[in-house]
């Protein structure tokens, strides 16, 4: 099958059928079962919601990796947020973070007990709240990958320009490539190909992922969020393995700029510097976090309040770490659907609308 046949995915059931046929052919050529992993919460939901799993040929396993920013936020990081709420700070965060459990409850629980915890829809909104409440210390939880980090960075630049001294950010932003590298070094996990997130690469560009194909010899391709795009991406991953021709490719109906967004990357490099970060269930991954750089140090909640992320202390039976690593699927967790449900989540993978356990519960039950 010439590679050019796979270019430019088109919408429609006929194209889906054609792609399924090609995918099966490449799987046969590969001569063994293949395992692909998507690393984006939006892909997790898109694959479940579209019913794509039921169309995949035998011999292809698709795992959900650490692509949901809420899910990968570590218990120790939630504990730091809880300690800020206990100090009478106003803690502002995106909605899903409220219910993520720390070692002594959640932000939602603290809010119910009277703590000043509020939901915001943007980083800049949190700065406005700080401006209107100069008598209170206001802390924004910066959570997410390369897609949300630029908004936090711009907010910090504005806070410095405005001379806000009651505003800070608990910076929990993480970056995807280092996590993929860590997963590839896990001997218990053999991932043949990665479905890369389209919106992250719009910021980072493709070069950040070249190590997967060039150095680690894994198949890798960027996909949009339409079923045709995801299926075309999987088909090309199978082709890369079958032909041992590992080359990054892009499967989006709309273009992804190869170089990403240089303006966003420049702002990120001005405001943040790389640091080691703790991922829930995956441990510390070198260089996978964003720390607020020295020129913006006065807005760093960790420095301002002397926070010290402790090791995880509570084992509540949640196996999110294994789910996020692709080592088990959600139903293999003993708590799934019995003790842990979207209404009563035990772990973050059930909390988030983009979490694997939550998606599995909603679309597989
Ligand atoms: S089902 Fe619940 S307890 Fe089990 S891994 Fe998922 S989130 Fe954690």
């Amino acid at each position: 099958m010439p590679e050019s046949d796979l270019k430019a995915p088109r919408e429609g059931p006929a194209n889906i059928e054609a792609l399924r046929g090609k995918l099966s052919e490449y799987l046969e050529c590969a001569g063994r079962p293949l395992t692909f992993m998507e690393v984006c919460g939006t892909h997790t939901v898109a694959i479940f919601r579209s019913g794509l799993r039921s169309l995949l040929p035998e011999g292809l396993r698709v795992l959900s990796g650490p692509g949901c920013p809420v899910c990968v936020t570590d218990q120790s990081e939630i504990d730091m947020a809880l300690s800020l709420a206990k100090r009478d700070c106003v803690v502002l965060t995106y909605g899903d973070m409220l219910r993520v459990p720390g070692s002594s409850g959640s932000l939602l629980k603290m809010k119910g007990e009277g703590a000043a915890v509020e939901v915001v829809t943007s980083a800049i909104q949190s700065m406005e709240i700080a401006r209107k409440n100069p008598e209170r210390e206001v802390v924004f939880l910066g959570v997410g990958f390369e897609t949300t980090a630029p908004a936090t960075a711009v907010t910090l630049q504005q806070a410095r320009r405005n001379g806000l001294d009651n505003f800070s950010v608990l910076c929990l932003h993480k970056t995807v490539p280092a996590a993929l590298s860590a997963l590839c070094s896990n001997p218990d996990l053999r991932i043949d190909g990665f479905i890369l997130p389209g919106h992250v690469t719009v910021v980072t560009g493709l070069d950040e992922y070249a190590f997967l194909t060039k150095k680690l010899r894994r198949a890798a391709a960027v996909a949009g969020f339409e079923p045709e795009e995801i299926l075309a991406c999987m088909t090309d991953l199978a082709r890369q393995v079958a032909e041992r021709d590992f080359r990054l490719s892009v499967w989006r109906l709309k273009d992804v700029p190869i170089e990403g967004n240089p303006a966003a990357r420049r702002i990120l490099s001005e405001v943040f510097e790389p640091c080691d970060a703790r991922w829930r269930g995956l441990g510390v991954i070198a260089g996978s976090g964003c720390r607020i750089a020295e020129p913006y140090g006065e807005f760093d909640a960790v420095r301002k309040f002397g926070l010290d992320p402790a090791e995880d202390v509570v084992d509540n039976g949640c196996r999110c770490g294994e789910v996020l690593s692709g080592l088990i699927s959600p139903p293999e967790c003993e708590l799934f659907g019995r003790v842990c449900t979207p209404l009563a989540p035990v772990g973050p993978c059930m909390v988030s609308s983009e979490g694997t356990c939550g998606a599995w519960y909603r679309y597989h039950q």
Side-chain angles (χ1 to χ4, degrees):
M1 191 73 58
E3 187 185 354
S4 59
D5 281 5
L6 290 173
K7 293 296 180 199
R10 294 181 305 278
E11 294 174 88
N15 193 38
I16 290 271
E17 266 317 303
L19 287 167
R20 282 183 75 199
K22 286 175 186 171
L23 179 54
S24 296
E25 280 178 38
Y26 286 130
L27 272 170
E28 213 176 303
C29 288
R32 62 180 174 84
L34 299 183
T35 300
F36 299 155
M37 175 180 270
E38 45 85 2
V39 281
C40 169
T42 314
H43 276 148
T44 306
V45 173
I47 290 170
F48 275 110
R49 190 159 42 206
S50 64
L52 211 47
R53 277 177 188 276
S54 62
L55 298 178
L56 298 180
E58 251 182 64
L60 175 59
R61 200 157 71 111
V62 178
L63 306 172
S64 294
C68 157
V70 172
C71 306
V72 300
T73 302
D74 191 57
Q75 184 178 291
S76 61
E77 296 176 321
I78 298 294
D79 285 349
M80 287 196 288
L82 295 176
S83 81
L84 289 168
K86 279 182 198 144
R87 290 174 195 218
D88 210 25
C89 295
V90 178
V91 176
L92 302 174
T93 181
Y94 299 130
D96 274 351
M97 290 297 292
L98 279 191
R99 297 198 300 152
V100 179
S103 60
S104 62
S106 64
L107 286 168
L108 186 63
K109 180 166 172 272
M110 288 205 66
K111 183 175 168 63
E113 291 165 359
V117 176
E118 300 296 339
V119 171
V120 288
T121 53
S122 68
I124 213 83
Q125 186 190 356
S126 65
M127 194 194 71
E128 283 305 308
I129 291 172
R131 215 169 45 78
K132 289 178 183 160
N133 296 276
E135 74 290 354
R136 299 291 303 270
E137 278 293 339
V138 174
V139 186
F140 172 66
L141 304 191
V143 176
F145 300 115
E146 292 90 335
T147 39
T148 53
T152 306
V154 167
T155 301
L156 285 168
Q157 288 182 327
Q158 289 212 16
R160 192 164 76 152
R161 269 198 294 274
N162 294 343
L164 276 183
D165 59 6
N166 66 325
F167 177 68
S168 56
V169 170
L170 178 56
C171 188
L172 309 177
H173 287 295
K174 295 178 172 61
T175 52
V176 176
L180 300 191
S181 182
L183 286 175
C184 288
S185 66
N186 183 340
D188 296 331
L189 197 60
R190 174 67 217 190
I191 300 165
D192 298 292
F194 288 97
I195 302 166
L196 301 173
H199 51 359
V200 171
T201 45
V202 164
V203 176
T204 62
L206 295 184
D207 279 357
E208 296 261 315
Y209 296 95
F211 72 95
L212 286 169
T213 49
K214 287 189 177 152
K215 190 169 154 214
L216 300 179
R217 307 282 293 157
R218 306 291 170 104
V222 176
F225 300 113
E226 297 299 328
E228 295 87 347
E229 296 171 324
I230 298 169
L231 197 56
C233 172
M234 290 182 193
T235 306
D236 194 52
L237 293 179
R239 183 199 62 76
Q240 290 182 39
V241 177
E243 297 178 352
R244 301 201 59 73
D245 175 28
F246 300 105
R247 268 186 287 168
L248 266 176
S249 59
V250 178
W251 303 97
R252 276 175 59 107
L253 296 166
K254 297 189 181 90
D255 283 345
V256 172
I258 303 287
E259 72 286 4
N261 182 331
R265 285 211 311 275
R266 192 192 68 247
I267 292 168
L268 288 175
S269 67
E270 284 170 7
V271 176
F272 299 127
E273 57 192 21
C275 67
D276 299 348
R278 187 178 289 276
W279 297 56
R280 189 174 289 244
L282 305 182
V284 175
I285 300 177
S288 67
C290 299
R291 178 168 48 209
I292 296 174
E294 191 53 47
Y296 296 87
E298 65 195 286
F299 299 102
D300 182 356
V302 171
R303 289 176 234 186
K304 191 171 192 176
F305 298 100
L307 302 177
D308 186 17
E311 298 268 325
D312 288 0
V313 286
V314 172
D315 178 5
N316 58 6
C318 172
R319 298 178 69 185
C320 274
E322 291 160 274
V323 171
L324 291 167
S325 308
L327 292 169
I328 64 167
S329 60
E332 291 175 71
C333 169
E334 297 72 17
L335 306 185
F336 178 83
R338 288 192 289 275
V339 177
C340 181
T341 66
L343 282 179
V346 175
C349 293
M350 189 62 90
V351 169
S352 170
S353 56
E354 294 194 337
T356 309
C357 297
W360 199 286
Y361 186 90
R362 281 194 301 279
Y363 296 107
H364 251 265
Q365 294 281 346

